[in-house]
Amino acid sequence: MWVADQWQDYKLLDATNGEKLEDWKGHILIRPDPQAIWNTPKEHPAWRKAHARYSRSKTGGGHWDVKTLPESWQVHYRDLTFQVKPMNFKHTGLFPEQATNWDFMAEKIKNAGRPVKVLNLFAYTGGATMACAKAGASVVHVDAAKGMVAWAKENAVLCGLGDKPIRYIVDDCIKFVQREIRRGNRYDGIVMDPPSYGRGPGGEVWKLEEELFGLIELCKGVLSEDPLFFLVNSYSTGLSASVMAYMVHQTIVKNFGGQVVADEIGLPVEGQNINFPAGATARWSK
């Protein structure tokens, strides 16, 4: 497992019975997580002192039960700064386990010895965008949600990247890649973190298991002649790391050589000497 264990402003305190207990820079949140299928005692005292808890509704969706919590606040990872806040469907605007992937891409960019252009698909609030831009890459940031793209711009300012070469695009990712192929635009690195299910700005339906292989194959057409990396992440329990590695091997490796490695990603559970699974990632590089 690749573990995001370098956080100072985030801690996973415990996880059990379908929930995880988190410390976001002193703000304690309880959020549902389908991976926590075990039922162990809630011995950590923070379970009884949480500032907010997200409760699912039996009819779908859910709501936050807030005791004391600011509307938003900032957390830091290495030299990056992000705004977080409780939002619909349990999210906070940041997936802390992705930091292990940020580090992988940043190292590739810093060691490339040449200009690097990165395409970030399903880019959300820009964690990967900021990591790549801070490492020196120019980035095209694509997401179908206008609000998330606006949030990413705010994060860029917080990171001191407001004047860096980042293009923000509100668009359906598949349609954008198709247009980039026609325009002849190419990228040295591609990162994508697609949802299991979603809708594009025009109502397009996205189902990960049905669409992912086609999108990876499509992205071959926008990789440069000497690409640096290709990274795809999935939170879907229906896609194992091995399945994603196979898809990337059949598309990227067969056309560009190099190698693909895949594994679970996760977070350390504070004081328990165990790591909590939080998805899977396939990484290709030369």
Side-chain angles (χ1 to χ4, degrees), residues 119 173-187 190 214-223:
L119 174 62
C173 289
I174 292 177
K175 291 182 178 179
F176 178 79
V177 173
Q178 290 171 336
R179 285 196 296 272
E180 289 291 86
I181 291 173
R182 293 195 294 269
R183 288 187 284 242
N185 289 332
R186 299 292 181 265
Y187 298 88
I190 296 177
L215 177 58
I216 295 173
E217 197 165 43
L218 186 67
C219 284
K220 290 188 307 186
V222 292
L223 281 171

Side-chain angles (χ1 to χ4, degrees), residues 246-281:
Y246 191 90
M247 287 191 289
V248 175
H249 186 277
Q250 293 298 101
T251 51
I252 309 302
V253 175
K254 281 194 172 183
N255 284 268
F256 294 93
Q259 62 177 357
V260 57
V261 291
D263 206 341
E264 289 183 290
I265 60 171
L267 293 158
V269 183
E270 189 79 2
Q272 294 192 29
N273 195 30
I274 194 170
N275 298 316
F276 182 80
T281 295

Side-chain angles (χ1 to χ4, degrees), residues 97-136:
E97 65 275 1
Q98 286 299 317
T100 183
N101 287 329
W102 304 342
D103 290 344
F104 165 79
M105 292 182 288
E107 182 180 6
K108 291 291 182 183
I109 293 164
K110 289 176 182 177
N111 294 333
R114 58 184 171 95
V116 176
K117 186 177 179 181
V118 174
L119 174 62
N120 185 6
L121 299 173
F122 309 95
Y124 197 48
T125 61
T129 294
M130 305 314 146
C132 291
K134 184 69 87 169

Side-chain angles (χ1 to χ4, degrees), residues 15-275:
T16 184
N17 197 26
E19 292 183 315
K20 56 187 177 184
L21 178 69
E22 303 168 296
D23 182 337
W24 293 80
K25 200 177 182 180
H27 302 292
I28 308 301
L29 304 182
I30 298 174
R31 296 193 293 157
D33 196 298
Q35 297 277 21
I37 62 173
W38 49 88
N39 190 1
T40 51
K42 293 182 176 180
E43 297 176 344
H44 198 292
W47 281 110
R48 297 178 292 278
K49 300 177 182 179
H51 298 104
R53 180 179 192 164
Y54 187 89
S55 300
R56 289 197 183 279
S57 169
K58 293 181 180 179
T59 58
H63 65 278
W64 284 96
D65 297 307
V66 179
K67 294 180 180 178
T68 56
L69 203 66
E71 183 177 338
S72 65
W73 65 98
Q74 296 176 9
V75 297
H76 307 274
Y77 181 77
R78 300 192 188 276
D79 54 356
L80 302 173
T81 303
F82 301 102
Q83 180 194 63
V84 297
K85 58 185 176 182
M87 51 188 295
N88 293 339
F89 196 64
K90 77 176 183 179
H91 292 167
T92 62
L94 197 65
F95 296 102
E97 65 275 1
Q98 286 299 317
T100 183
N101 287 329
W102 304 342
D103 290 344
F104 165 79
M105 292 182 288
E107 182 180 6
K108 291 291 182 183
I109 293 164
K110 289 176 182 177
N111 294 333
R114 58 184 171 95
V116 176
K117 186 177 179 181
V118 174
L119 174 62
N120 185 6
L121 299 173
F122 309 95
Y124 197 48
T125 61
T129 294
M130 305 314 146
C132 291
K134 184 69 87 169
S138 62
V139 185
V140 175
H141 174 110
V142 186
D143 197 280
K146 185 177 181 180
M148 295 301 102
V149 174
W151 193 338
K153 292 179 181 179
E154 295 174 5
N155 281 335
V157 174
L158 292 175
C159 290
L161 298 168
D163 60 346
K164 297 301 180 181
I166 304 173
R167 286 182 59 213
Y168 300 93
I169 309 291
V170 179
D171 202 352
D172 174 80
C173 289
I174 292 177
K175 291 182 178 179
F176 178 79
V177 173
Q178 290 171 336
R179 285 196 296 272
E180 289 291 86
I181 291 173
R182 293 195 294 269
R183 288 187 284 242
N185 289 332
R186 299 292 181 265
Y187 298 88
D188 305 297
I190 296 177
V191 51
M192 64 176 77
D193 188 10
S196 297
Y197 179 85
R199 289 186 179 273
E204 304 89 349
V205 175
W206 166 272
K207 293 182 180 179
L208 185 66
E209 287 84 352
E210 297 177 6
E211 304 285 356
L212 185 57
F213 181 76
L215 177 58
I216 295 173
E217 197 165 43
L218 186 67
C219 284
K220 290 188 307 186
V222 292
L223 281 171
S224 66
E225 293 183 358
D226 186 22
L228 194 61
F229 64 81
F230 186 98
L231 186 149
V232 55
N233 185 76
S234 170
Y235 294 99
S236 173
T237 55
L239 287 179
S240 68
S242 297
V243 168
M244 292 199 298
Y246 191 90
M247 287 191 289
V248 175
H249 186 277
Q250 293 298 101
T251 51
I252 309 302
V253 175
K254 281 194 172 183
N255 284 268
F256 294 93
Q259 62 177 357
V260 57
V261 291
D263 206 341
E264 289 183 290
I265 60 171
L267 293 158
V269 183
E270 189 79 2
Q272 294 192 29
N273 195 30
I274 194 170
N275 298 316

